[in-house]
Amino acid sequence: MGHDLVRPTGMPGAFASALAAHPGRSLLTYHDGATGEHTELSAEALGQWVARTANLLVRGCGLGVGARAAVLLPPHWQTAAVLLGTWSAGVSVSFHGAATAGLPRLGPGVEEPFDVTYAALPRIDDWLDQVPEAHHRFALGLARDAAPLPEPPAGYRDYLTEVRRHDADLRPYVPLRPDDAASVDGTSYADWGRLARELADLFGLRPDDRVLVDAAEHEHPVKWLLAPLAAGASVVLCANLDSHAVRERGAAERVTRVL
């Protein structure tokens, strides 16, 4: 496979547009009611994580268009970096473990091994029967302050340690076609972009909305990440959200929409 990076198109293009239009704008805020974590990323800051992830795959692992990644991650700001970076490298994705009712997802009979697997450390043991074989395996601890794992599980490398070895430059690019597969079931970048826009319309999202998303209610990334991006909105992603504190959290984050 080629070693050049890929210009985002289709649904990754929504992020590229957000970055180009408002690089300093708060694009993704992550709040965890259980740990107290509060991480706020501008479009530019998230873009640096996205670029480093793409470089990890392309320059570090030698992957590109035609490669396949299995993602076993909950809604989280690091998951956004993984997904957008993986797509920016032209690598198709399988959403293992995500709530995917009625949405495209990996089906039975997909050939293993994958080229890369990302797995959240709290879930690796719970999902052993779902973790596919892969040539490259990265563990994410999802700790506060983006702290690296003290010791990754056997057979895994720590995503944060590895991704920080790569720079935040997303050039040079090679073309990525809208009909290229964005997920391993063959769903294209254009298809995901279309679905994201349809969901944005269904949710009534508008440009410059600040959208509070309950991670437990909207686990699939097309809902908590791609639909807001398609609408030009920013995201306040809340894990372990106290249902009685939604109004308070919304006021603190200047939220205009709640999913």
Side-chain angles (χ1 to χ4, degrees):
M1 282 174 245
H3 289 259
D4 290 326
L5 291 177
V6 179
R7 183 182 300 279
T9 189
M11 50 81 183
F15 172 69
S17 297
L19 177 56
H22 304 288
R25 175 195 182 195
S26 176
L27 187 65
L28 176 59
T29 301
Y30 177 78
H31 178 78
D32 190 328
T35 67
E37 177 180 358
H38 188 274
T39 299
E40 186 166 0
L41 296 172
S42 66
E44 183 175 25
L46 181 56
Q48 291 173 354
W49 284 98
V50 169
R52 292 181 192 277
T53 301
N55 281 320
L56 168 64
L57 295 181
V58 176
R59 295 173 182 159
C61 300
L63 303 179
V65 176
R68 304 184 307 163
V71 178
L72 295 88
L73 301 173
H76 192 276
W77 71 264
Q78 291 179 36
T79 305
V82 163
L83 288 171
L84 292 169
T86 300
W87 280 320
S88 294
V91 176
S92 62
V93 167
S94 150
F95 306 114
H96 286 247
T100 55
L103 295 169
R105 64 160 301 167
L106 177 73
V110 174
E111 183 180 353
E112 295 184 21
F114 282 76
D115 297 284
V116 59
T117 289
Y118 307 95
L121 185 60
R123 296 190 173 193
I124 289 176
D125 290 340
D126 295 337
W127 292 357
L128 281 177
D129 61 336
Q130 298 186 47
V131 179
E133 291 295 323
H135 299 296
H136 304 277
R137 297 195 293 178
F138 297 102
L140 288 82
L142 305 181
R144 292 184 62 173
D145 303 319
L149 293 171
E151 185 176 353
Y156 287 82
R157 288 182 285 166
D158 176 42
Y159 164 78
L160 288 175
T161 298
E162 297 299 324
V163 80
R164 284 172 168 142
R165 302 183 194 277
H166 295 271
D167 62 43
D169 181 14
L170 257 181
R171 297 178 182 275
Y173 299 97
V174 295
L176 178 63
R177 298 173 302 176
D179 59 352
D180 284 339
S183 55
V184 298
D185 63 2
T187 306
S188 70
Y189 288 93
D191 290 336
W192 278 114
R194 191 177 305 111
L195 178 58
R197 289 190 296 273
E198 289 173 358
L199 286 173
D201 290 341
L202 180 65
F203 293 146
L205 305 184
R206 299 179 181 277
D208 299 323
D209 266 340
R210 190 153 168 81
V211 185
L212 187 150
V213 182
D214 184 345
E217 295 294 324
H218 300 286
E219 191 177 2
H220 197 287
V222 76
K223 295 182 179 179
W224 65 263
L225 178 63
L226 299 182
L229 285 179
S234 62
V235 179
V236 180
L237 180 63
C238 296
N240 300 299
L241 179 63
D242 183 346
S243 60
H244 300 292
V246 173
R247 182 174 296 181
E248 179 182 355
R249 175 59 49 193
E253 296 291 347
R254 308 177 306 281
V255 163
T256 60
R257 296 274 176 173
V258 177
L259 296 191

